[in-house]
Amino acid sequence: MTMLRRYATSPAVRRTARSILDHLPIGRRTALRTARSVLRRVAPRTVAPPGVDRRRSSAQAPAATHAPPQRFVIEPKPARVDEPWPVPPRIADPFEVVRARHPAGPPEPAFDIALFEQLNEEYADRPLVPSPLQYDDEAMARRAKDRLMWVHRSVDLHDKRVLEFGCGGGFEAWLLGHHFGADAWGVDIQERAAWETLRDDRTHLVLADLAVDRPFEADYFDRVYSFYVFEHVEHPHAALAELYRVMKPGGLAWIAANLHRGPMASHRYKDVTFPFPHLLFGDDVFREFYRRRDKPAEGAAWVNRLTWAEYEDHFARIGFAVRAVHFRETPIDEEFYARFESVLGRYPRSDLARDFFEVVLEKPAAGRSTRSPRPA
């Protein structure tokens, strides 16, 4: 009965418990052992320990110990650990390194303008991007044609209602309407001077923040495409969710974007010749570099830091099915990597090699599988 007096404070509860024990077919002794075992397991959660008043305020509660809470016990139970514990020997400087499996390398260099200039000079005869994009009329017209054919070979654009997300000058949208017979739409957060000339009954250019202004109806477009814009989007999940909303069920989106950890993500490779400048140097160094050349002082391009894995997570949570994916990679310069491994080694090597991805997404129609393929 000691156990009943310990856990049942009410006389009525004790009387009831005794009556139950007397009528159990297994006998009082066996019943007490069973009840004791059950109460010991549940008591820490349901019954105040002996001598502890539940009404005591937190200020009066016993001081917490540093022992971790016991979440579970593996069977068989661990062996008892007896007291006292042995006292370790005293050592003057116990954490002094006397030997290491990976000895410390040379001290990390100062990532300043002097090193920036030095690397730019070293890579002058082997620049990261030997032929940067040109922006004369002929080059832009040729690039617009090549880009549209690039998309069309993957997702048919002919006679479709098509949206270009981040349409820039609007030349691709104009060619789309006049060469592919599409009902062509472009949306951008900046209106360009060319729009006034390019707009017509087949070319619709809209100034809007797609995710905020929501200028289009739901289930409106057969196709969506976007060239190297998503890395500059501040809220990519919201933008992708809005594209999903305005696409028809069964519609396809073709998206190409730059990945932040790739060697080209600074977008300054017309002037900066070496890889990964945006991972190694701060914007203050970039600005000083441009000031010395009498150019507008600017840092690395603003690029969101999404990895491919994070893009995949956005696609899946929104409801897109990934129908095809391809990565454009730049082999890692191993000598450069070894030289700056103290910084570059913080990132997975697979991420450092991936410059761009191209993906085809589908807004599944009812009953359509969303299982994704392996990357090409």
Side-chain angles (χ1 to χ4, degrees):
M1 292 298 101
T2 302
M3 183 264 296
L4 287 175
R5 286 194 295 273
R6 182 178 180 182
Y7 289 104
T9 57
S10 167
V13 171
R14 288 200 293 270
R15 286 196 300 273
T16 302
R18 288 194 193 97
S19 175
I20 293 171
L21 290 173
D22 288 338
H23 290 83
L24 286 174
I26 59 176
R28 175 178 286 198
R29 186 180 300 276
T30 303
L32 281 171
R33 283 200 301 268
T34 303
R36 184 181 294 111
S37 175
V38 171
L39 284 170
R40 282 174 176 169
R41 293 186 183 184
V42 303
R45 297 190 296 271
T46 60
V47 181
V52 176
D53 187 351
R54 282 192 180 276
R55 295 169 296 179
R56 184 185 306 184
S57 69
S58 59
Q60 298 171 312
T65 68
H66 293 289
Q70 184 170 308
R71 301 296 184 190
F72 53 83
V73 176
I74 302 298
E75 298 293 345
K77 293 182 179 179
R80 179 184 177 85
V81 177
D82 294 324
E83 301 288 347
W85 288 57
V87 178
R90 294 185 178 278
I91 301 169
D93 188 358
F95 295 104
E96 178 187 5
V97 177
V98 295
R99 189 169 58 164
R101 173 65 180 80
H102 295 285
E108 186 173 288
F111 291 98
D112 54 18
I113 186 61
L115 180 58
F116 196 105
E117 294 278 17
Q118 176 187 332
L119 292 173
N120 215 47
E121 182 63 28
E122 288 180 20
Y123 277 77
D125 59 351
R126 49 188 177 117
L128 178 65
V129 180
S131 302
L133 295 178
Q134 302 300 313
Y135 290 91
D136 58 273
D137 290 345
E138 182 180 350
M140 288 192 294
R142 182 172 60 252
R143 189 159 58 246
K145 171 189 170 183
D146 292 343
R147 284 179 169 182
L148 288 173
M149 287 305 301
W150 188 9
V151 177
H152 180 63
R153 292 187 186 102
S154 297
V155 296
D156 180 22
L157 299 176
H158 194 262
D159 289 336
K160 302 291 193 298
R161 182 179 288 156
V162 184
L163 173 66
E164 180 178 4
F165 176 70
C167 62
F171 293 101
E172 283 88 351
W174 186 88
L175 285 172
L176 186 64
H178 289 265
H179 191 68
F180 288 83
D183 182 15
W185 293 76
V187 64
D188 206 303
I189 61 172
Q190 296 176 324
E191 183 171 357
R192 311 303 174 97
W195 286 15
E196 185 176 353
T197 302
L198 295 176
R199 281 191 178 107
D200 55 37
D201 59 344
R202 302 201 65 83
T203 311
H204 316 281
L205 302 171
V206 179
L207 174 65
D209 182 334
L210 185 74
V212 175
D213 302 321
R214 307 185 81 183
F216 306 115
E217 300 174 11
D219 305 331
Y220 194 68
F221 293 102
D222 303 294
R223 299 288 186 267
V224 170
Y225 68 88
S226 179
F227 291 104
Y228 313 118
V229 171
F230 260 98
E231 65 264 30
H232 303 295
V233 175
E234 293 186 18
H235 303 289
H237 184 276
L240 285 165
E242 182 61 10
L243 289 179
Y244 184 91
R245 188 186 73 85
V246 302
M247 289 168 60
K248 295 178 180 178
L252 299 172
W254 187 102
I255 296 172
N258 191 199
L259 292 165
H260 172 258
R261 295 177 178 177
M264 297 186 191
S266 76
H267 287 57
R268 303 300 183 218
Y269 37 77
K270 281 188 72 173
D271 303 299
V272 181
T273 59
F274 59 94
F276 306 111
H278 58 297
L279 298 183
L280 298 177
F281 296 91
D283 281 347
D284 57 332
V285 178
F286 275 86
R287 285 190 283 268
E288 177 59 25
F289 174 80
Y290 281 108
R291 274 195 292 266
R292 292 184 177 192
R293 285 153 179 78
D294 294 323
K295 293 185 176 182
E298 55 188 0
W302 191 95
V303 176
N304 67 50
R305 302 192 173 197
L306 290 188
T307 63
W308 170 248
E310 290 167 323
Y311 272 107
E312 279 191 305
D313 181 62
H314 286 325
F315 299 153
R317 287 193 292 124
I318 290 167
F320 279 116
V322 177
R323 291 302 173 207
V325 60
H326 172 70
F327 298 107
R328 291 167 57 196
E329 300 186 347
T330 300
I332 294 175
D333 182 329
E334 295 296 343
E335 180 183 351
F336 190 91
Y337 179 88
R339 189 173 171 184
F340 300 110
E341 189 173 3
S342 62
V343 175
L344 299 179
R346 300 169 184 170
Y347 306 98
R349 287 177 61 92
S350 59
D351 284 354
L352 294 175
R354 287 176 177 172
D355 264 321
F356 304 93
F357 70 82
E358 300 151 21
V359 65
V360 176
L361 305 172
E362 181 183 11
K363 178 178 179 178
R368 175 76 165 161
S369 170
T370 61
R371 187 168 58 182
S372 301
R374 293 177 180 272

